[in-house]
Amino acid sequence: MSSRARRGLTPTLAFLAALLASLALGPSPCAGLKVLELNATTLDQAIEKHKKLLLVEFFSPDCAHCQRLEPVLEAAADELVGKASVVKIDSRNAHHLNQKYAVRQTPTMVLFRGGHEIAEAREDLQGFRTTDSLVPFVLGFRGPTVAKVGSRADVDEILADRGVAVCGVFTSEGAPSESFRDLARRLRGHIPFAASVADAEGVRLLSETYGLRGLPTIFVAKRHNYTVEFHGNLEAEGGAAEAEAFIERHGFPLVGNLSALTYARYLARGSDRAYLFYDPGQRETAEGAAAFSSAERALGRVAASHDDVSFIAVSSVATENGRTTLLQDSGLTELRLPALALVSSDAKTSVALCQLGEVTEEAASEALDEFLRLRGEAMDGQGRHVCLAFQSDRADGEAGSSDPRIVPDHDYELHAHHMKAFWGLGESSVREVSEQSHGRVMRRTWRDTLVVYVARWCSVALKLERLLEDLVASGEVSDLLEEELSIVKVDAVLTPAPSLKGSRRLPAMKYVSARYKDFPYWFGGDPTSKPDVLEFIRTHHSMRRVEIPGEGPSPFADRRRDVMEDVVSALGAAKAEL
């Protein structure tokens, strides 16, 4: 699109004619246009004439959320070519349309078909979205509200595309089938609905294939030949409400995608959750895509036996700020994705699968078994957070050992020992402390302190720990350690979140100067690079003796002996006054 069109300037008549033609007939693959920007007049015409789905974004150029949404809409428009069109309009210049379509903030997305808004899509469309959730949601409104099915092949076709299908089997038209259509109108963007109504052969085939107990009925079908049937009475009073609750409980794919479109539904389900965290950037490479697909398939096979747990793939851009919190709260880091964690509905029990290993079906199954066992234990209201570690059968404990196995490990210190052995770490020369206890020491000490936040199952954190131990053992920082610097490590999982507010990932490292204890310096380099770590330490340590205008000489300009003499002298003077 030209820069003139992007700024919302009125297009030429020729361009306008081509635009309306493309909207009426569907986008041309060679048009080179994705998200078209219209004005109030052309948008009215587009809504009226467009026969397919039309997604409209009301935006404002200075809106940060609109700017974040722009690449998502561009990618969505690319995937929707020939199926739906995506356009946008500057809401500042469309006051009557703002009133007509109740646009009160930006961005606001509205979905149209045949000149009318699809009202049931409005609420779920608002806010920041990801392409992999937005596209299937929009496409859910294509075609009939309830697709016609009469065999397993028809159902499997829907599953291949959406992963889940809510199917109704009705011997005749009536209240149950109409209630089913009402539910479909409200939920079809999230779940595809299909039915066989008054079709004797279709009803027979579906009943026999899926072993349905009675008619009329509904059932939810998912991949891996998983089905669950509604056992209520659709024709009884309250049957429609029971059916709705059944769909809200089971109408999820075996492994779904977390987004603002789905998060509220998963929370409302009230189930325990298994998160498969992944980086969409990695999926652009053949190796990354294969790793995610393998993990997703493995998790799907496990999920087929545990529909009472929500299995959810979480993209790094799933929500505006929720994914980092989910990842850290689960005891995982950015170091290696995909990664798996299970969290109870009350958030009091969690199990993280060590990121040193792959997410295989065996690993996921054992992690789930351990999670369910812990979930069932009485804990007197206390939380239980466990990591399951891969332990090598090889004696040398080198990475890449064959036949890794899951080892449930409830003793946190024992787990630390396993991880150190895995990475060839002996007894640590870097002292481990708790944030709370060491905080009291730091307030009194005259030394600078390097605080390293680690996680037991984080390979990068363990590499950093080994790097620091090598620095200490080699003597490269002995001139500092002897008198002026302490290096300590803190378990990030046992550390209050506010202490880590200066860093967004693990491992984290901060330099706390004795001169300015309330203003730590956070490390921003490569934690596995010795030059980066050494430069960080020496740069901030050098500030210890700098004379700052207005403050006078540094109180730490002298060596330990001089400092201690001042302290002893001050204590003696105070004693004499008493």
Side-chain angles (χ1 to χ4, degrees):
M1 189 190 310
S2 71
S3 60
R4 289 174 58 83
R6 284 188 180 275
R7 290 196 298 268
L9 300 179
T10 303
T12 63
L13 292 177
F15 179 80
L16 177 58
L19 168 64
L20 293 177
S22 71
L23 288 173
L25 301 175
S28 168
C30 60
L33 300 174
K34 293 182 181 177
V35 180
L36 306 174
E37 184 174 335
L38 308 183
N39 59 34
T41 301
T42 54
L43 178 59
D44 258 341
Q45 295 175 15
I47 292 172
E48 180 184 349
K49 294 184 178 182
H50 199 52
K51 303 304 179 186
K52 296 181 180 179
L53 291 170
L54 178 66
L55 180 63
V56 179
E57 179 208 12
F58 289 81
F59 79 100
S60 177
D62 56 356
C63 166
H65 291 289
C66 299
Q67 293 165 10
R68 293 189 65 181
L69 185 59
E70 184 173 356
V72 173
L73 287 179
E74 289 284 336
D78 200 28
E79 291 190 31
L80 290 169
V81 166
K83 303 172 184 175
S85 298
V86 183
V87 299
K88 61 183 180 180
I89 182 169
D90 188 338
S91 66
R92 300 173 306 172
N93 304 321
H95 298 300
H96 79 281
L97 291 179
N98 292 340
Q99 290 183 330
K100 182 176 181 180
Y101 297 114
V103 176
R104 298 182 177 86
Q105 61 184 10
T106 56
T108 291
M109 290 193 284
V110 185
L111 188 62
F112 296 91
R113 182 179 53 213
H116 302 284
E117 179 189 354
I118 302 175
E120 54 268 28
R122 168 70 76 100
E123 183 178 354
D124 284 327
L125 277 172
Q126 306 321 310
F128 181 71
R129 299 289 175 263
T130 58
T131 304
D132 57 1
S133 61
L134 179 60
V135 169
F137 181 81
V138 170
L139 292 180
F141 292 93
R142 292 179 72 206
T145 304
V146 178
K148 183 178 179 180
V149 292
S151 66
R152 177 185 283 275
D154 295 335
V155 176
D156 285 346
E157 187 175 346
I158 299 173
L159 297 185
D161 184 42
R162 301 289 297 275
V164 62
V166 177
C167 302
V169 183
F170 307 99
T171 54
S172 62
E173 291 283 1
S177 62
E178 189 54 42
S179 296
F180 187 77
R181 291 190 184 95
D182 288 339
L183 283 173
R185 278 188 282 270
R186 290 196 294 106
L187 297 173
R188 63 181 300 199
H190 294 290
I191 321 165
F193 282 73
S196 178
V197 182
D199 176 2
E201 181 62 13
V203 168
R204 184 187 66 80
L205 284 174
L206 292 173
S207 296
E208 292 177 357
T209 302
Y210 294 100
L212 304 179
R213 298 185 183 184
L215 299 175
T217 190
I218 59 178
F219 66 94
V220 176
K222 306 183 184 184
R223 290 172 181 158
H224 300 287
N225 297 321
Y226 179 89
T227 59
V228 55
E229 184 184 356
F230 175 64
H231 290 152
N233 186 348
L234 291 175
E235 297 178 304
E237 184 178 354
E242 288 184 29
E244 181 174 1
F246 167 80
I247 293 171
E248 291 284 13
R249 174 67 181 171
H250 296 283
F252 297 84
L254 288 177
V255 181
N257 279 306
L258 186 71
S259 69
L261 282 170
T262 60
Y263 190 53
R265 291 192 68 236
Y266 276 112
L267 287 181
R269 190 184 188 195
S271 61
D272 298 331
R273 295 180 290 278
Y275 295 120
L276 179 66
F277 297 99
Y278 71 93
D279 183 348
Q282 293 176 342
R283 294 176 63 183
E284 294 177 3
T285 67
E287 182 180 357
F292 174 76
S293 296
S294 174
E296 187 179 37
R297 285 194 302 271
L299 205 60
R301 289 190 288 269
V302 173
S305 302
H306 297 276
D307 190 53
D308 52 335
V309 177
S310 294
F311 292 81
I312 315 167
V314 185
S315 162
S316 60
V317 291
T319 59
E320 291 187 53
N321 53 20
R323 184 262 185 168
T324 301
T325 303
L326 286 175
L327 192 66
Q328 293 178 351
D329 287 351
S330 302
L332 298 171
T333 70
E334 302 271 359
L335 82 100
R336 180 177 181 175
L337 301 176
L340 177 66
L342 297 107
V343 181
S344 62
S345 57
D346 59 7
K348 290 185 178 180
T349 303
S350 67
V351 168
L353 188 60
C354 176
Q355 289 176 273
L356 298 178
E358 304 290 342
V359 181
T360 63
E361 183 177 353
E362 179 186 6
S365 180
E366 293 204 30
L368 180 59
D369 289 345
E370 181 65 11
F371 169 78
L372 294 175
R373 190 188 70 78
L374 290 173
R375 185 78 166 84
E377 287 185 353
M379 295 180 293
D380 299 325
Q382 299 299 313
R384 193 73 177 272
H385 306 280
V386 171
C387 172
L388 297 186
F390 277 96
Q391 180 181 353
S392 166
D393 286 337
R394 285 175 54 177
D396 57 11
E398 292 180 359
S401 302
S402 60
D403 192 24
R405 57 191 174 88
I406 294 293
V407 180
D409 191 345
H410 312 305
D411 186 325
Y412 207 71
E413 292 304 319
L414 181 60
H415 178 69
H417 175 75
H418 287 325
M419 290 295 93
K420 288 179 181 179
F422 189 96
W423 287 97
L425 292 169
E427 287 299 316
S428 178
S429 55
V430 179
R431 185 164 56 102
E432 181 162 341
V433 298
S434 73
E435 181 82 358
Q436 185 177 16
S437 64
H438 192 62
R440 293 192 293 268
V441 175
M442 286 172 60
R443 286 194 293 272
R444 296 194 303 267
T445 185
W446 53 269
R447 289 190 178 197
D448 292 354
T449 307
L450 181 69
V451 184
V452 185
Y453 296 93
V454 297
R456 305 297 195 196
W457 50 88
C458 171
S459 64
V460 178
L462 291 165
K463 287 179 181 178
L464 174 58
E465 183 179 341
R466 183 163 60 183
L467 187 156
L468 290 171
E469 290 186 5
D470 289 343
L471 283 178
V472 173
S474 66
E476 292 180 75
V477 290
S478 59
D479 58 320
L480 310 180
L481 291 173
E482 183 180 356
E483 299 179 345
E484 300 174 349
L485 178 67
S486 297
I487 301 178
V488 297
K489 60 188 177 187
V490 177
D491 190 321
V493 177
L494 306 179
T495 300
S499 300
L500 286 165
K501 64 183 179 182
S503 179
R504 292 183 61 84
R505 62 180 61 193
L506 295 177
M509 186 162 54
K510 68 180 179 183
Y511 191 100
V512 183
S513 168
R515 194 173 184 181
Y516 302 111
K517 289 185 169 72
D518 295 329
F519 301 96
Y521 304 96
W522 287 91
F523 178 68
D526 178 2
T528 63
S529 166
K530 181 184 286 188
D532 282 10
V533 173
L534 227 99
E535 181 183 8
F536 174 74
I537 293 173
R538 293 198 173 276
T539 296
H540 294 296
H541 180 267
S542 67
M543 298 298 295
R544 184 179 175 89
R545 298 185 179 83
V546 172
E547 182 171 342
I548 298 176
E551 288 189 10
S554 165
F556 304 103
D558 298 321
R559 291 285 182 175
R560 178 181 180 183
R561 182 179 298 106
D562 299 324
V563 173
M564 293 307 295
E565 286 175 358
D566 291 343
V567 172
V568 172
S569 175
L571 289 173
K575 185 175 181 181
E577 290 178 3
L578 293 174

